[in-house]
Amino acid sequence: MPGLEDQLRRPVRGMRDITPEQYYALKKVEDGLSKVAEAFGYRRIETPAVEHFEVLARKAGREIVDEIYYFRDKAGRELGLRFDMTVPVARVLSYRLDEPKPVRWYYFTKVWRYDEPQHGRYREFHQFGVELVGSDSPRADAEVLALMAKSLEAVGVRDYVIRLNDRAAMDRMLASLGVGGSREEILRALDKRGKVPDGEILEMLRRAGLDGATAEALMALISERRPGSEAPDFFSKYDRDLGERYGRIVKALDAYGVLGRFEVDLSIVRGLDYYTGLVFEAYAGEYRLAVGGGGRYDNLIELYSGVRTPALGFAIGVERLMEAAGITRAERPLDYYVYPVTEDAFKTAVEVAEALRDKGASVAVDLGELTLREALERAAKTGVAYFVIIGRKELEKGVVRIRDMRKRVELEVELDRVRGGLASPYAP
Ligand code: AMP
């Protein structure tokens, strides 16, 4: 039989198989990130992969709508796969208006985007993120920023920077330049900075209605970068209240001990239209793409619930974070491999395996198709910690033979002790 054609052996374009060694790396990252969110008092939420298309489209800007996986089900409903978790969270809160505020929720789950696949850009990927809903305090901004910093640290990223900007400051800046064109289109063009050549951005700005000189002036203005601690002074140039707000944010970031990680960067505008205040993106080491991004969106929840509800959050792209942190695989070797040499020994082998499993060990029993030598070779290759041999001699003596695969030593342990469930043959 010829089997599957080549192209059918591979996952659908933009999708990836997650094999066990990759899965355990993902799980480690999931555990590390969840621990941080839980420690900050956030609680996990999960929602269906499939949403009403209309719900997704209501928030998505033009660019994102094209990226939605769209389909009709057999009953003719127009549906789509979620492209982030902010929309589902807003939808959930729209029927849970009594949820005590502020709401602190986090997620670690899959999202789908019909994007052009390339390095660091997939059609199915994981996002970890938080939503802090119902507060417009600057402390809320600082909490979410600090949480982003702590999340990166939790997975071992030491070298990172979080670049921030503010949409309100951008509005003032555009107004001061007398910009008349489409604000949305301009911000979307600026968001491409660093991702496409400057010439292309200038061209997009011109298409958005800016004359050449204004486009150049805008590009020069957004080149500015300052240490995070200068945010209050910097933003007060645009608006005194905004300066004061950043004064409080900076103070809170300092309290969290992460202020040094932040930089004001006017080229961070974020692609989506719904941000109203703080916007930010995280970069790790030499990794070129943003590992995460977020911001404040005080008008978004209202689109779904009809009630004005200030909110902010961030999302980290888990695959990108793992690549940036160099976490791609994690071994999960067996603790024990139990080998009954004879048919008689099988029952005892199962008994031993069950006792060890009860103690939390990960144990496989040989299926009777490998010779002892083959089984040992295989165990050495796959990284089994202990190989348990039960033959006629052992049965007669009431012992099992345990081989420490790493130290390459063997010892006999009484069957009763093993039945009692020893955690390690060397345990006292
Ligand atoms: P966004 O809100 O669109 O900036 O997405 C948040 C984070 O998700 C980004 O900073 C990326 O790390 C990650 N991300 C976005 N799109 C993709 C994609 N197509 N493939 C993998 N990761 C992505």
Side-chain angles (χ1 to χ4, degrees), residues 148 270 275 280-282 290-295 313-317:
M148 172 106 142
R270 311 277 293 139
Y275 290 106
F280 55 97
E281 280 179 3
V291 293
F314 70 70
I316 287 177

Side-chain angles (χ1 to χ4, degrees), residues 64 84 113 115 120-123 125-127 270 272 274-275 281 290-294 315-321:
I64 287 274
D84 72 6
R113 294 186 190 176
D115 220 342
R121 200 171 282 283
Y122 313 110
R123 288 185 173 175
F125 59 99
H126 292 79
Q127 282 191 338
R270 311 277 293 139
L272 295 174
Y274 59 80
Y275 290 106
E281 280 179 3
V291 293
I316 287 177
V318 175
E319 284 77 2
R320 285 192 195 174
L321 177 64

